């Protein structure tokens, strides 16, 4: 990452993360996560295996993660509305800003943002 505004890669439990940080405001401007995954049966979309870093045992192991059912359908419905992606993006940024201590991972925040926007659009 030398020569770019991104930090050195950090190895978390399930991804390798790079970030651009505003040092004055102590805020993350951008971040990107990379994960190593594989699908055992690509014809069946029930989940995938991801490479997990077990830091206590100092070992990498592939762990199964089921696909969060319903998120893709909700995103499809939201994107069918004017400004749909902007609503998801705005909600995601709000959730990320209040994510004290980075307790929640990016995908969890994304799923929460999608659910929040979906409920606001279709249930109120």
């Amino acid at each position: 990452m030398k020569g770019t505004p991104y930090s050195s890669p950090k190895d978390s439990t399930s991804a390798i993360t790079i970030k651009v940080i505003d040092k004055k405001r102590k805020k993350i401007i951008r971040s990107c996560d990379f994960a190593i995954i594989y699908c055992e049966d690509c014809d069946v979309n029930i989940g995938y295996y991801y490479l997990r870093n077990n830091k206590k045992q100092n070992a990498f192991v592939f762990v199964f993660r089921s696909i969060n059912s319903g998120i893709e359908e909700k995103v499809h419905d939201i994107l069918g509305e004017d400004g749909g992606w902007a609503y998801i993006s705005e909600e995601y940024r709000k959730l990320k800003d209040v994510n004290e201590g980075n307790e929640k991972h990016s995908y969890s925040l994304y799923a929460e943002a999608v659910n929040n926007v979906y409920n606001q659009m279709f249930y109120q």
Side-chain angles (χ1 to χ4, degrees):
M1 301 310 305
K2 289 182 181 179
T4 72
Y6 286 92
S7 65
S8 296
K10 301 283 189 246
D11 187 13
S12 69
T13 305
S14 61
I16 298 168
T17 303
I18 57 175
K19 299 176 183 176
V20 176
I21 300 173
D22 180 338
K23 292 178 184 177
K24 289 180 184 176
R25 294 179 13 217
K26 297 182 181 178
K27 285 197 134 196
I28 296 170
I29 298 170
R30 284 187 293 281
S31 69
C32 184
D33 294 334
F34 299 92
I36 298 172
I37 66 169
Y38 80 89
C39 298
E40 191 167 83
D41 184 357
C42 292
D43 292 334
V44 179
N45 198 11
I46 60 169
Y48 57 90
Y49 290 86
Y50 70 98
L51 190 60
R52 180 177 174 84
N53 182 0
N54 185 330
K55 294 180 181 184
K56 288 182 181 177
Q57 296 179 352
N58 196 26
F60 289 88
V61 181
F62 277 100
V63 177
F64 184 77
R65 178 178 284 166
S66 63
I67 292 177
N68 189 351
S69 62
I71 292 297
E72 293 85 10
E73 292 84 2
K74 289 178 180 178
V75 169
H76 180 268
D77 290 346
I78 293 168
L79 295 181
E81 301 292 317
D82 287 337
W85 184 250
Y87 292 124
I88 294 172
S89 178
E90 181 181 342
E91 182 67 16
Y92 175 81
R93 288 171 203 231
K94 285 179 189 175
L95 293 172
K96 194 160 182 77
D97 285 345
V98 297
N99 186 24
E100 296 292 325
N102 295 321
E103 292 176 11
K104 294 181 183 177
H105 292 283
S106 293
Y107 185 77
S108 296
L109 293 171
Y110 172 72
E112 188 175 341
V114 169
N115 282 317
N116 290 350
V117 171
Y118 185 86
N119 290 339
Q120 290 167 9
M121 285 182 143
F122 300 105
Y123 289 118
Q124 288 185 0

